[in-house]
Amino acid sequence: MKPLGNLLSHMFVRCTGYTYSNMARLFLRLFVGVMFMQFGIRQLMEFHILSTVYPTVLGMEPSTGLAIMIAIEIICSLMIMVGFLTRIAVIPPIATMVAAVCFAMQGNLPQGGVYCLDNATQPYLPMMFIGIYLFILLAGPGKISLDYFISIFLISRHGKNESEELEEV
């Protein structure tokens, strides 16, 4: 019975005491980037249809608003996935998802569009994206990102080392 108890305590300590936060942040960045980018790609493929039913946002024509949304979805997703200017790159998607929540709650979404939302759909999907993007904004991209490698390069150019400049990343 003693070896089983030792095995269980060892497993418990290994599972709770060791973290892979940089790998977890990379996974989350890649996951949310791919998930958000697929909306932009589908909208790009259906641009001619969606530009006629897309809602007017901030007084812009529907095709202009849709083009901006597609650019945000694709460009920001790529930046988030590679970890380049990550904390800045999550701000436009947060803003677009807040707008999507507002439109969904008011019932102003186009019927059966790329998102397959209708007036009865709750804004759970945009709210989930907002939560993930806020986590990335607060936690940062981690050490497996272009942001980290650029920071290390810039720090070394000034003759300093990483531990002098950066906190736990």
Side-chain angles (χ1 to χ4, degrees), residues 44-108:
L44 186 60
M45 291 173 27
E46 301 286 332
F47 186 83
H48 61 286
I49 296 169
L50 288 173
S51 62
T52 61
V53 296
Y54 197 77
T56 303
V57 180
L58 299 174
M60 292 184 279
E61 292 183 22
S63 60
T64 305
L66 181 60
I68 291 171
M69 178 63 116
I70 292 170
I72 287 171
E73 289 171 343
I74 293 174
I75 294 169
C76 290
S77 291
L78 286 172
M79 291 174 69
I80 290 166
M81 289 189 319
V82 298
F84 181 66
L85 301 174
T86 309
R87 286 187 164 135
I88 296 169
V90 297
I91 295 171
I94 289 172
T96 59
M97 290 297 99
V98 167
V101 167
C102 292
F103 275 95
M105 292 180 86
Q106 294 173 0
N108 293 336

Side-chain angles (χ1 to χ4, degrees), residues 65-166:
L66 181 60
I68 291 171
M69 178 63 116
I70 292 170
I72 287 171
E73 289 171 343
I74 293 174
I75 294 169
C76 290
S77 291
L78 286 172
M79 291 174 69
I80 290 166
M81 289 189 319
V82 298
F84 181 66
L85 301 174
T86 309
R87 286 187 164 135
I88 296 169
V90 297
I91 295 171
I94 289 172
T96 59
M97 290 297 99
V98 167
V101 167
C102 292
F103 275 95
M105 292 180 86
Q106 294 173 0
N108 293 336
L109 291 172
Q111 295 285 329
V114 171
Y115 292 103
C116 297
L117 297 175
D118 58 24
N119 289 339
T121 303
Q122 299 296 316
Y124 297 124
L125 185 63
M127 290 170 73
M128 181 194 67
F129 276 112
I130 292 169
I132 294 171
Y133 287 131
L134 286 175
F135 175 82
I136 293 171
L137 182 69
L138 294 172
K143 289 185 177 182
I144 309 171
S145 66
L146 284 178
D147 288 344
Y148 179 75
F149 294 122
I150 292 169
S151 296
I152 295 302
F153 173 75
L154 294 174
I155 289 169
S156 67
R157 285 185 58 197
H158 291 100
K160 297 179 182 177
N161 66 25
E162 173 187 359
S163 61
E164 294 173 354
E165 282 292 316
L166 296 177

